[in-house]
């Protein structure tokens, strides 16, 4: 499998798609999440939920992750200059990448090569990865923070979290998993969970981003709970770079806004 992945990388088969991240109060696109795609055949994609775990198991994720970071920072850097806007780039870090001995040095090298401002970069680590060996995680997180990069806990609410660890993590944001957003506003339990996560995050000084926002009613509820940011099909799917650029051109400062 490692060989197949390595060939795919050399042959430029992988792509990075960009999903808009929206400021819920202003309705503007303020950034994007980089999501890897592996096309095969006519408009068919192997889903990341299939190939990312395989890349993780074979160890190839380390190379793939470096490629995603380099590709996405190069692209977003171009947009930042073109639009004179500090577009936030969110990049996923898998378990194996997170604990790799060369992580920090490789990130530093990429940022220097691309001349990318770390203040416009955020890494996402799942709650489960962060909570496994929490003391080691804190050490790695501190090194990333020292580079000036922001950190988010991804898929929050799906793993198990120790609140005592949570308050020690040097993180900036919680991302509420889409499984809690899906049944808003019909499921009373999800309403309670989502508003409690947002209140807890704010009490800890963290920002909140909701995933999987598909309807106006969901966006409205999150806005009322003072959730800062959101992503989801309501605003835009993960898009190829040219399509993201067209959407961003319309929906940033002074342009159109997403508002119900
Ligand atoms: P994730 O980090 O939780 O990413 C969010 C997923 O939710 C993406 O799935 C996105 O397409 C999907 N999504 C966004 N908005 C909506 C919505 O409104 N409704 C629904 N139903 N889904 C929505 P995707 O792109 O299939 O990626 C799946 C997972 O694969 C990601 O979950 C992430 O864990 C992993 N992944 C993707 N790209 C990378 C990468 O470059 N590196 C690493 N380490 N993992 C990646
Ligand atoms: Ca993510
Ligand atoms: Ca998720």
């Amino acid at each position: 499998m490692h060989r197949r992945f390595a060939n795919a990388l050399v042959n430029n088969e992988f792509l990075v798609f960009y999903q808009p991240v929206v400021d819920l109060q202003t309705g503007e696109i303020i950034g994007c999440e980089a999501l890897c795609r592996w096309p095969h055949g006519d408009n068919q994609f192997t889903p990341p939920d299939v190939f990312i775990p395989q890349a993780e198991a074979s160890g190839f994720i380390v190379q793939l992750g470096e490629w995603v970071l380099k590709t996405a920072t190069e692209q977003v850097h171009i947009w930042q200059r073109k639009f004179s806007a500090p577009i936030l780039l969110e990049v996923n870090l898998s378990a194996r990448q997170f604990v790799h001995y060369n992580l920090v040095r490789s990130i530093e090298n990429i940022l220097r090569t691309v001349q990318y401002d770390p203040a416009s970069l955020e890494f996402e680590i799942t709650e489960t990865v962060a909570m496994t060996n929490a003391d080691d995680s804190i050490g790695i997180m501190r090194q990333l923070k020292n580079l000036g990069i922001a950190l988010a806990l991804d898929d929050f609410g799906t793993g198990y979290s120790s609140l005592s660890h949570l308050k020690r993590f040097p993180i900036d944001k919680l991302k509420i998993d889409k499984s809690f957003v899906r049944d808003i506003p019909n499921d009373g339990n999800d309403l309670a969970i989502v508003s409690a996560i947002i209140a807890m995050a704010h009490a800890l000084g963290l920002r909140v981003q909701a995933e999987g926002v598909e309807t106006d009613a969901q966006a409205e509820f999150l806005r009322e709970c003072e959730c800062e940011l959101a992503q989801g099909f309501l605003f835009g799917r993960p898009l190829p770079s040219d399509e993201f650029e067209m959407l961003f051109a319309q929906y940033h400062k002074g342009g159109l806004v997403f508002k119900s």
Side-chain angles (χ1 to χ4, degrees):
M1 200 62 205
H2 197 288
R3 172 147 288 258
R4 231 182 110 206
F5 278 127
N7 285 337
L9 192 61
V10 169
N11 294 333
N12 272 320
E13 288 177 30
F14 293 103
L15 296 170
V16 178
F17 275 26
Y18 301 87
Q19 184 174 34
V21 174
V22 169
D23 179 324
L24 276 175
Q25 303 307 322
T26 66
E28 293 160 353
I29 298 178
I30 56 96
C32 55
E33 178 172 3
L35 292 158
C36 191
R37 294 288 179 267
W38 192 9
H40 63 86
D42 304 333
N43 281 327
Q44 299 287 326
F45 290 90
T46 309
D49 288 333
V50 173
F51 76 81
I52 293 286
Q54 291 171 344
E56 178 80 4
S58 72
F60 180 72
I61 192 72
V62 172
Q63 275 163 275
L64 183 61
E66 286 173 357
W67 178 83
V68 168
L69 181 64
K70 182 152 190 295
T71 305
T73 48
E74 279 172 352
Q75 178 61 75
V76 173
H77 192 215
I78 291 170
W79 289 331
Q80 288 169 343
R81 280 180 298 179
K82 183 164 182 174
F83 295 103
S84 301
I87 304 169
L88 174 69
L89 170 62
E90 305 177 350
V91 177
N92 294 286
L93 276 187
S94 75
R96 199 138 170 183
Q97 289 174 273
F98 186 59
V99 298
H100 194 267
Y101 73 97
N102 201 33
L103 172 76
V104 174
R105 202 182 314 155
S106 116
I107 291 168
E108 241 176 331
N109 278 336
I110 291 169
L111 297 186
R112 194 178 317 117
T113 308
V114 179
Q115 295 188 301
Y116 190 88
D117 178 5
S120 296
L121 179 61
E122 183 168 86
F123 282 121
E124 302 187 350
I125 304 143
T126 64
E127 181 188 16
T128 308
V129 168
M131 290 291 163
T132 313
N133 302 322
D135 287 332
D136 292 348
S137 296
I138 291 170
I140 301 166
M141 289 174 172
R142 285 217 180 103
Q143 292 180 55
L144 295 173
K145 291 289 295 176
N146 285 342
L147 296 182
I149 299 164
L151 297 175
L153 272 199
D154 208 354
D155 297 351
F156 188 79
T158 61
Y160 80 97
S161 255
S162 145
L163 295 180
S164 62
H165 288 330
L166 189 61
K167 72 171 191 208
R168 289 168 58 217
F169 287 152
I171 53 172
D172 304 277
K173 188 199 274 179
L174 293 186
K175 283 188 81 168
I176 302 180
D177 191 68
K178 55 181 174 290
S179 57
F180 299 111
V181 174
R182 189 175 44 221
D183 296 324
I184 292 174
N186 301 320
D187 184 320
N189 289 333
D190 284 341
L191 296 180
I193 291 169
V194 166
S195 59
I197 291 175
I198 295 170
M200 180 196 65
H202 288 167
L204 292 171
L206 305 174
R207 303 216 296 164
V208 186
Q209 180 168 330
E211 258 183 15
V213 178
E214 297 185 356
T215 68
D216 282 325
Q218 291 166 347
E220 191 49 45
F221 176 76
L222 291 161
R223 206 177 282 127
E224 279 165 17
C225 295
E226 295 181 24
C227 177
E228 285 87 356
L229 301 168
Q231 69 190 104
F233 299 165
L234 176 65
F235 311 111
R237 290 176 179 262
L239 298 168
S241 54
D242 54 340
E243 290 179 38
F244 177 85
E245 181 173 327
M246 282 194 283
L247 195 70
F248 184 82
Q250 292 177 293
Y251 284 89
H252 83 290
K253 279 245 168 313
L256 299 175
V257 292
F258 292 103
K259 203 110 198 177
S260 43

